[in-house]
Amino acid sequence: MSPAATPKFKNPRAKYNFQGRSCSITGVGSYVPAKVLTNTDLEKMVDTSDEWITTRTGIKERRLAAQNEFTSDLAAQAAGRALQQAGLTAQQLDLIVVATITPDMPFPSTACLVQDKLGAHRAAAFDVQAACSGFIYGLEIAQQFIMSRTYDTVLVIGAEKLSSIVDWEDRNTCVLFGDGAGAAVLQNRPNAHGLLTAVMGADGQKADLLFMPGGGSRCPASAESVASRLHFLRMEGKETFKNAVQAMQTAAEEALRRCEIDISRIKCIIPHQANRRIIDAVVERLGARPEQLFVNLHRYGNTSAASVAIALDEAVASGRIHRGDLILLVVFGAGLTWGAAVIEW
Ligand SMILES: CC(C)(COP(=O)(O)OP(=O)(O)OC[C@H]1O[C@@H](n2cnc3c(N)ncnc32)[C@H](O)[C@@H]1OP(=O)(O)O)[C@@H](O)C(=O)NCCC(=O)NCCS
């Protein structure tokens, strides 16, 4: 067979949905707030050290939103940049999906607030809650609407103001998280494969590894709940770490298997940016080379649903990814949830 006739890869979408049309990312954007909180700053707040945080996590600094800057503001900024890159106006959007665990308020959805901020009056809007895995869940939702020809243009945003639910007196967690937003516009791009597959998984039996006990119907806000610090996130660090490595490896392998491609063909691996040691363990288990990896967690920490979205935008902006390259996104989060996506850029 001549090289030109060699199939590039198997597109699992083609197998499962012959009627469907492909779905590509036509624009990306991200936004992080201006305020930087360094490890040295944290040394003045809790009993920790730059050395401990750097060696255990790889994080050097994170961004914090201003008091009057909310998740919807971060999301709208990132979305505006993604729309600009796609060459679209907000009025052309059919659907806005916001992945977040830190909505501006329990309801209405942050997606509705973003719709208003953008002036995207035609668009339907809703939030997705899959914690740090939310952006990949959002991509798959967008893909389903585009593949079925229900919508042409979908905006997926991962946005978080995690500083609003972090217990700044708990050194076990407060050093890990930061604020930010990333966005992607999804459309059919003729003659492109786009999102080849998205794996999504969940295990609710492990919900208590990473959660926020207060603020929902189980424990509404009260003077007691606030006094007991129930409105801050809680985490079993070691167990979360082990589950993250296992789930990310499994999800990535499943995504690659579906496309019948070897990890060596991936130009850029963009993992959830939670901990450098988690990332390195996953990369080693996948048999990938370090130079395939994109990492920016030293600058932002873990921004949950925004994490891979910001990293994707920065990887594109830095020239790491070009049209036609295969990229692998792989995520893990509370729920537990996990996911992986293979995209022909
Ligand atoms: C949180 C995490 C960095 C801790 O690293 P670790 O190597 O597991 O550390 P340990 O839990 O063994 O803690 C070791 C010690 O450091 C201490 N410690 C915890 N946070 C600290 C901090 N910020 N500074 C200094 N010491 C700290 C602990 O109290 C413990 O002390 P002890 O041995 O006296 O009890 C790591 O478990 C992790 O990254 N887990 C996954 C978190 C994650 O990614 N969550 C989001 C998923 S989407």
Side-chain angles (χ1 to χ4, degrees):
M1 201 187 279
S2 72
T6 309
K8 285 164 80 180
F9 40 71
K10 192 184 95 180
N11 180 353
R13 303 287 186 190
K15 181 175 166 196
Y16 296 124
N17 188 336
F18 291 101
Q19 304 305 312
R21 59 179 174 168
S22 68
C23 165
S24 288
I25 295 178
T26 56
V28 281
S30 64
Y31 173 81
V32 290
K35 185 175 162 53
V36 176
L37 185 76
T38 65
N39 291 350
T40 315
D41 296 330
L42 276 165
E43 286 175 358
K44 297 173 197 124
M45 297 163 63
V46 287
D47 181 13
T48 191
S49 66
D50 173 45
E51 198 268 334
W52 192 95
I53 301 170
T54 305
T55 53
R56 299 294 178 115
T57 72
I59 300 165
K60 296 298 281 184
E61 58 187 44
R62 67 289 292 145
R63 299 299 179 101
L64 297 189
Q67 228 168 11
N68 62 351
E69 194 176 29
F70 311 114
T71 297
S72 63
D73 297 310
L74 311 181
Q77 290 285 347
R81 293 172 185 182
L83 284 167
Q84 194 179 18
Q85 193 175 99
L88 296 174
T89 64
Q91 290 74 28
Q92 290 171 278
L93 289 173
D94 298 314
L95 173 66
I96 299 171
V97 180
V98 174
T100 187
I101 54 167
T102 47
D104 284 27
M105 33 193 154
F107 71 90
S109 70
T110 299
C112 285
L113 306 179
V114 172
Q115 186 236 35
D116 180 46
K117 284 184 175 150
L118 294 175
H121 306 298
R122 284 183 52 248
F126 61 84
D127 286 0
V128 167
Q129 214 278 48
C132 304
S133 307
F135 188 69
I136 285 187
Y137 272 59
L139 290 183
E140 175 66 350
I141 290 166
Q143 159 92 30
Q144 294 298 328
F145 279 112
I146 289 171
M147 192 165 66
S148 65
R149 297 173 191 272
T150 308
Y151 293 132
D152 292 323
T153 307
V154 181
L155 175 66
V156 178
I157 307 170
E160 302 286 8
K161 185 174 177 177
L162 291 174
S163 58
S164 66
I165 60 163
V166 160
D167 184 345
W168 291 102
E169 293 179 14
D170 176 14
R171 69 174 183 173
N172 290 293
T173 52
C174 75
V175 302
L176 302 174
F177 299 100
D179 302 336
V185 176
L186 288 104
Q187 297 176 291
N188 170 249
R189 204 156 46 89
N191 306 318
H193 289 93
L195 184 55
L196 288 167
T197 193
V199 172
M200 302 190 295
D203 180 2
Q205 288 185 352
K206 293 179 178 163
D208 57 358
L209 288 186
L210 181 50
F211 70 115
M212 190 171 93
S217 60
R218 193 179 292 200
C219 178
S222 65
E224 293 76 41
S225 72
V226 173
S228 308
R229 309 183 82 75
L230 301 183
H231 303 272
F232 295 124
L233 69 82
R234 293 183 177 184
M235 184 181 68
E236 292 288 338
K238 267 195 196 311
E239 271 308 302
T240 304
F241 189 112
K242 276 189 253 170
N243 280 276
V245 174
Q246 183 61 52
M248 286 168 80
Q249 177 193 359
T250 307
E253 285 176 349
E254 169 64 10
L256 295 168
R257 190 194 60 73
R258 284 188 197 171
C259 303
E260 292 180 3
I261 58 169
D262 186 80
I263 187 76
S264 62
R265 295 190 56 192
I266 298 289
K267 178 74 186 309
C268 189
I269 303 168
I270 302 180
H272 176 47
Q273 312 279 317
N275 183 315
R276 181 71 209 216
R277 292 186 295 140
I278 294 177
I279 292 173
D280 288 343
V282 171
V283 164
E284 193 188 325
R285 287 176 177 214
L286 291 175
R289 302 182 308 278
E291 59 272 23
Q292 288 172 277
L293 195 58
F294 186 86
V295 174
N296 64 2
L297 101 160
H298 50 290
R299 289 188 288 134
Y300 305 132
N302 181 349
T303 57
S304 188
S307 172
V308 283
I310 297 172
L312 176 62
D313 179 47
E314 293 197 344
V316 173
S318 68
R320 282 285 303 273
I321 303 172
H322 299 103
R323 283 289 175 213
D325 288 344
L326 290 174
I327 65 173
L328 172 69
L329 307 182
V330 55
V331 296
F332 173 84
L336 300 177
T337 55
W338 55 86
V342 178
I343 303 170
E344 186 193 36
W345 191 248

